[in-house]
């Protein structure tokens, strides 16, 4: 963005479109500034979230899915989104703004890879989900405890190693034993996985990447509501 552009000089529509560009370019300071300007102009926090930030991340997600943007660029976009969310989150909580749903995610036991998982977390937050990120090396007890505590609609597991992939089945089988498997939409993802593996372990869906995760999550939430 050029130094001589003052965000305050833009009307609401222009500012919103500039924020989409700034999100795309990963400009965190500009996103924080734009978020504050819209709030100062009387925009409701939920409107800033959905129309400026979520819409901007939706554009990022499409280009990521289509191979125009790559992981480092999407991480920069997601980081900028965080700058806006830091301002909006307390205001959204106060206003009781609707969230799409709750999502619990973690990288499975034995696996410490989290770039893919972190992307999913950011994209899901960007889409309006409340996300509980359990981190890496998460065992079955931690997963179950979190499900019990947070009661999410959606539960996600990530793995990058072929040796840790089978642990997903351990978790899902334990959920079945406890009679809670059908209480949740279960998503799995990670580089070595595929759709067939997702079916074999008993997940609702395999998610190829972060952008697809958001689409599938929304789709399955709608199905479940219907």
């Amino acid at each position: 963005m050029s130094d001589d552009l003052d965000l305050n000089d833009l009307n609401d529509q222009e500012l919103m479109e500039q924020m989409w560009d700034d999100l795309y370019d990963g400009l965190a300071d500009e996103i924080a500034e734009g978020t504050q300007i819209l709030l100062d102009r009387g925009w409701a926090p939920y409107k800033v979230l959905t129309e400026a930030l979520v819409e901007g991340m939706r554009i990022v997600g499409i280009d990521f899915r289509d191979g125009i943007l790559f992981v480092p660029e999407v991480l920069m976009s997601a980081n900028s989104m965080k700058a806006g969310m830091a301002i909006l989150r307390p205001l959204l909580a106060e206003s009781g703004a609707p969230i799409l749903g709750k999502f619990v995610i973690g990288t499975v036991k034995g696996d410490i890879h989290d770039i893919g998982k972190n992307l999913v977390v950011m994209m899901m937050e960007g889409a309006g989900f409340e996300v509980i990120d359990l981190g890496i090396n998460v065992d079955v007890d931690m997963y179950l405890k979190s499900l019990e505590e947070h009661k999410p609609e959606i539960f996600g597991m990530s793995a990058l190693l072929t040796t840790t992939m089978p642990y997903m089945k351990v978790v899902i089988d334990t959920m079945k034993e406890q009679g809670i498997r059908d209480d949740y939409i279960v998503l799995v993802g990670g580089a070595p996985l595929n759709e067939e593996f997702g079916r074999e372990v008993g997940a609702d869906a395999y998610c190829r990447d972060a952008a697809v995760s958001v689409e599938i999550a929304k789709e399955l939430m709608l199905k479940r509501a219907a």
Side-chain angles (χ1 to χ4, degrees):
M1 192 175 69
S2 61
D3 292 338
D4 52 8
L5 176 62
D6 185 343
L7 296 180
N8 285 291
D9 294 341
L10 304 176
N11 67 34
D12 286 7
Q13 183 66 30
E14 290 166 344
L15 177 54
M16 188 172 69
E17 289 174 12
Q18 181 61 48
M19 286 175 72
W20 299 344
D21 288 346
D22 290 345
L23 263 176
Y24 198 93
D25 295 334
L27 304 174
D29 291 349
E30 284 81 350
I31 290 300
E33 188 187 344
T35 298
Q36 194 58 58
I37 291 170
L38 288 175
L39 290 169
D40 292 344
R41 289 182 185 177
W43 279 44
Y46 186 66
K47 185 177 181 188
V48 181
L49 172 68
T50 51
E51 295 182 22
L53 298 184
V54 172
E55 180 56 26
M57 283 305 282
R58 190 184 71 80
I59 298 163
V60 170
I62 290 168
D63 278 5
F64 178 51
R65 186 193 64 203
D66 294 344
I68 296 163
L69 287 177
F70 298 95
V71 168
E73 292 141 319
V74 177
L75 282 172
M76 282 176 67
S77 295
N79 219 30
S80 320
M81 167 95 189
K82 270 188 167 168
M85 283 302 291
I87 297 166
L88 291 177
R89 193 173 276 120
L91 303 172
L92 288 165
E94 278 170 31
S95 63
I99 56 166
L100 282 182
K102 271 193 194 177
F103 176 56
V104 162
I105 185 172
T107 301
V108 296
K109 184 180 173 185
D111 208 319
I112 57 167
H113 295 88
D114 66 356
I115 289 179
K117 171 186 68 64
N118 293 349
L119 267 181
V120 172
V121 168
M122 291 172 186
M123 296 288 272
M124 289 288 277
E125 278 193 336
F129 285 89
E130 181 186 335
V131 180
I132 297 96
D133 181 1
L134 303 179
I136 55 174
N137 195 23
V138 183
D139 65 18
V140 64
D141 292 337
M142 256 179 91
Y143 280 128
L144 294 180
K145 197 172 155 195
S146 182
L147 293 178
E148 174 62 31
E149 182 185 341
H150 298 288
K151 303 269 189 284
E153 287 81 9
I154 307 180
F155 167 48
M157 289 183 283
S158 169
L160 194 76
L161 303 172
T162 50
T163 49
T164 59
M165 284 163 53
Y167 196 75
M168 293 177 169
K169 188 170 181 342
V170 173
V171 177
I172 293 173
D173 285 350
T174 308
M175 291 169 74
K176 285 178 182 167
E177 282 162 22
Q178 298 197 0
I180 59 169
R181 164 63 189 88
D182 293 340
D183 297 348
Y184 307 96
I185 294 165
V186 179
L187 306 180
V188 295
L193 280 65
N194 56 33
E195 280 187 23
E196 191 186 341
F197 176 82
R199 278 196 301 273
E200 278 173 12
V201 297
D204 288 297
Y206 150 76
C207 302
R208 190 180 73 240
D209 60 40
V212 171
S213 303
V214 172
E215 288 170 18
I216 290 175
K218 286 179 168 175
E219 212 175 278
L220 291 175
M221 288 275 293
L222 283 173
K223 263 189 194 161
R224 182 159 278 217

